[in-house]
Amino acid sequence: MSTAREQPIFSTRAHVFQIDPATKRNWIPAGKHALTVSYFYDATRNVYRIISLGGAKAIINSTVTPNMTFTKTSQKFGQWADSRANTVYGLGFASEQHLTQFAEKFQEVKEAARLAREKSQDGGELTSPALGLTAHQVPPSPLVSTNGPGDEKLFRSQSADAPGPAERERLKKMLSEGSVGEVQWEAEFFALQDSNNKLAGALREANAAAAQWRQQLEAQRAEAERLRQRVAELEAQAAAEPASVSEKEGSQSLEQLEALVETKDQEIQTLRSQTSGSREAADTEREETQQKVQDLETRNAELEHQLRATERSLEEARVERERARAEVGRAAQLLDVRLFELSELREGLARLAEGAP
């Protein structure tokens, strides 16, 4: 494909995802970093394509048709389905503005593809609809422009020492599943840490409330003891008073003091019962909180163990991938040797045939 035939008309950067073909629900990331995603117009075939390259590999190679729909699923994420590729592509943008620009360009390209199809069906002269799409011109990508008319060359340009398709898909699936699992475990671990902090705060509040109730109870006990001492002093004074003091007045004063003491005793009993109930509730809540904290700590330990196991699995997958690459390289070298020997044998047979009478 030459630069005169297919030119980029709009480019942006986004994180590329594809739907999991097994579950049709989970997203598989194409890489850890954002990639360049471009709209291309093929003037010879009068078609529009969305292309994104990861190294020498085409991550996205989707021909835009009038029946396609680009859907915004969040402020920074959008997706569309490609029935020809039998997959769903997803793009995560750095901002809502980038998503809006890509969606608007998708609508423009979709409308241009519709007009091109109608003109092709009417048999009229085809013009270049890409002339109306002047936003954000970028230089052509050399990786894209080196391919021929067939889209298949984008997928056949890989080196001979790369793993086979089945092995490559298996390794990619293992790595992607490991990365997604690691992110999920890490998110759950942080959520459990946050819940643990909240429970610890609730435990501290319960302990503070119990301490406050204990202080109030001690204050009431001290007040009751002071009143008892006052009653004892008054009784002693009444016994030491001269006979001229009216016995009736003394008995009334004593009755008032006894009534006051009974009232204070009732208040003490009420506070004691309230404090006992609050202490029991606080103890129960504290025990439940401690049990939850222990459960969370156990869960955190399990998650850490699972995270370490996932990391070991990823490392084993990396080692397996390197071993597979080495084996493929050795197989390629052996194949080159066999081809060279076959070529020499063919030349020897040709010389024998020429020398034969």
Side-chain angles (χ1 to χ4, degrees), residues 76-143:
K76 297 182 181 180
F77 193 87
Q79 66 184 48
W80 79 94
D82 189 340
S83 58
R84 296 184 179 182
N86 193 24
T87 188
V88 180
Y89 295 103
L91 297 179
F93 295 89
S95 65
E96 186 176 1
Q97 180 181 2
H98 289 82
L99 173 60
T100 302
Q101 291 177 353
F102 188 89
E104 292 175 353
K105 193 60 59 178
F106 192 95
Q107 289 299 118
E108 293 179 12
V109 170
K110 176 181 174 181
E111 181 65 19
R114 185 186 65 80
L115 294 175
R117 175 180 290 185
E118 291 179 354
K119 289 183 179 181
S120 176
Q121 292 175 353
D122 294 341
E125 183 180 359
L126 295 176
T127 59
S128 175
L131 296 176
L133 301 172
T134 59
H136 198 67
Q137 295 287 341
V138 297
S141 171
L143 291 175

Side-chain angles (χ1 to χ4, degrees), residues 151-186:
D151 299 338
E152 297 82 359
K153 292 187 177 182
L154 284 170
F155 299 95
R156 296 176 182 174
S157 59
Q158 301 179 16
S159 60
D161 61 346
E167 180 68 15
R168 185 171 60 253
E169 290 298 327
R170 185 180 70 83
L171 292 175
K172 184 175 71 174
K173 183 177 180 181
M174 289 174 60
L175 291 175
S176 62
E177 288 178 352
S179 299
V180 171
E182 183 178 356
V183 171
Q184 290 177 348
W185 287 121
E186 189 173 4

